[in-house]
Amino acid sequence: MPAKRPRVKNLGELAGDVLVFGGPCSNLQATRAVLDIAEQRGIPAERRICTGDAVAYCGDPVETLRTLQGHCELVAGNCEKQLIAGADDCACGFEDGSVCAQMSVTWFRFARKSLGAAELSCMADCPDMIVFSAYGLRYAVIHGGATDISRYLWPTSPQSDFASEVAAITDQVGNIDAVVAGHCGVAFERHVAGVRWINPGAIGMPPNDGRRQTRYMVLTERGARIERLDYDVDGAVAAMQSAGLVQGYDQALKTGIWPSQDILPMQMRR
């Protein structure tokens, strides 16, 4: 049986700056902050794109999804796919018995129980990939990888890993100048055979760098620029603690350090 083709949404030519962000992760305070920045910059909803995982670690899955709905274009993340399927975990590929696997069970169970039919319908409508053109370049936006939605691609990953994903994307949608992907939660840029691979990071969780600020990206006529996002961290922590999500990610919002380093490549662990 041939592989299922991805659902692709083509936004066409976008005139003006484009704001792209990943991983809201049920962090309502960060979600509101990044959308406020878009409003301040005059970037309308059709030029705001999220790379997925709207619902994950933090304490406001329903309100976060409702805040995003109609205010940005949303690519399906692995969390969306798993929640729609009624699965018991996020399918991130955590090793059985690892700290990451144990912690993910708690927050995924909370997210799954919180969401209703309206939220599940919203996630089901999300495409697997978004393509658009801006300032003379053609972009493809995905979650993790085109071959595997949960594939982790890190700043330290082999060039061949990126090359295989670029090849899969071009097979699906034709030639592109850049890929924007999320999932790993760390902002970085790589160059693969003339194609730029850009991860804007996540707005809902800091990138394990010891700072509270998270990341997002703005595409302008001068290129892609990664920005730091300030938001109401204490409010987000309080929401997690009120929901009983106190396995470590609540402290990560304050310390900027992930509660487990299991999933990270050795050279990126702290």
Side-chain angles (χ1 to χ4, degrees), residues 79-95:
C79 287
E80 281 81 31
K81 293 288 190 181
Q82 290 294 95
L83 288 163
I84 293 164
D88 293 324
D89 59 44
C90 59
C92 283
F94 300 139
E95 291 186 13

Side-chain angles (χ1 to χ4, degrees), residues 58-72:
C58 299
D60 289 298
V62 174
E63 285 304 313
T64 297
L65 193 59
R66 289 177 178 174
T67 298
L68 292 168
Q69 191 173 14
H71 295 279
C72 72

Side-chain angles (χ1 to χ4, degrees), residues 10 14 35 43 59 64 70 132 144 148 179 194 228 240 243 247 270:
N10 191 341
L14 300 182
L35 294 180
I43 300 175
T64 297
F132 68 92
D148 179 0
V179 176
R228 296 180 184 274
M240 293 185 72
Q247 288 73 36
R270 296 177 68 99

Side-chain angles (χ1 to χ4, degrees), residues 14-242:
L14 300 182
D17 295 352
V18 182
L19 190 148
V20 189
F21 58 96
C25 299
S26 303
N27 188 328
L28 179 60
Q29 289 74 16
T31 300
R32 287 173 171 166
V34 80
L35 294 180
D36 284 347
I37 287 171
E39 290 289 341
Q40 293 163 14
R41 296 181 61 114
I43 300 175
E46 61 269 22
R47 286 193 271 123
R48 309 169 190 168
I49 304 173
C50 176
T51 66
D53 281 357
V55 177
Y57 311 104
C58 299
D60 289 298
V62 174
E63 285 304 313
T64 297
L65 193 59
R66 289 177 178 174
T67 298
L68 292 168
Q69 191 173 14
H71 295 279
C72 72
E73 299 286 346
L74 179 61
V75 171
N78 58 289
C79 287
E80 281 81 31
K81 293 288 190 181
Q82 290 294 95
L83 288 163
I84 293 164
D88 293 324
D89 59 44
C90 59
C92 283
F94 300 139
E95 291 186 13
D96 290 343
S98 69
V99 176
C100 283
Q102 294 168 14
M103 289 191 298
S104 72
V105 169
T106 301
W107 63 256
F108 194 84
R109 184 185 296 127
F110 169 75
R112 187 159 54 88
K113 289 182 177 179
S114 300
L115 299 169
E119 290 76 41
L120 293 174
S121 176
C122 171
M123 292 189 292
D125 288 339
C126 295
D128 302 304
M129 185 185 306
I130 286 175
V131 294
F132 68 92
S133 296
Y135 296 113
L137 299 177
R138 188 168 188 251
Y139 293 84
V141 184
I142 60 173
H143 179 63
T147 63
D148 179 0
I149 194 172
S150 298
R151 187 176 192 181
Y152 281 100
L153 290 160
W154 304 99
T156 58
S157 294
Q159 194 80 344
S160 58
D161 289 358
F162 293 96
S164 66
E165 294 297 336
V166 170
I169 292 167
T170 56
D171 178 63
Q172 293 163 0
V173 298
N175 291 334
I176 52 170
D177 298 294
V179 176
V180 181
H183 189 55
C184 82
V186 178
F188 68 93
E189 182 173 344
R190 292 278 293 268
H191 293 262
V192 186
V195 175
R196 300 168 67 195
W197 186 285
I198 312 168
N199 192 314
I203 61 166
M205 190 63 56
N208 198 46
D209 66 347
R211 300 184 182 187
R212 290 182 168 207
Q213 295 164 311
T214 58
R215 305 290 188 276
Y216 67 97
M217 178 180 74
V218 181
L219 298 174
T220 74
E221 60 184 347
R222 297 181 180 179
R225 189 172 69 252
I226 304 295
E227 302 280 2
R228 296 180 184 274
L229 179 66
D230 291 299
Y231 69 97
D232 177 12
V233 173
D234 292 337
V237 171
M240 293 185 72
Q241 293 175 344
S242 177

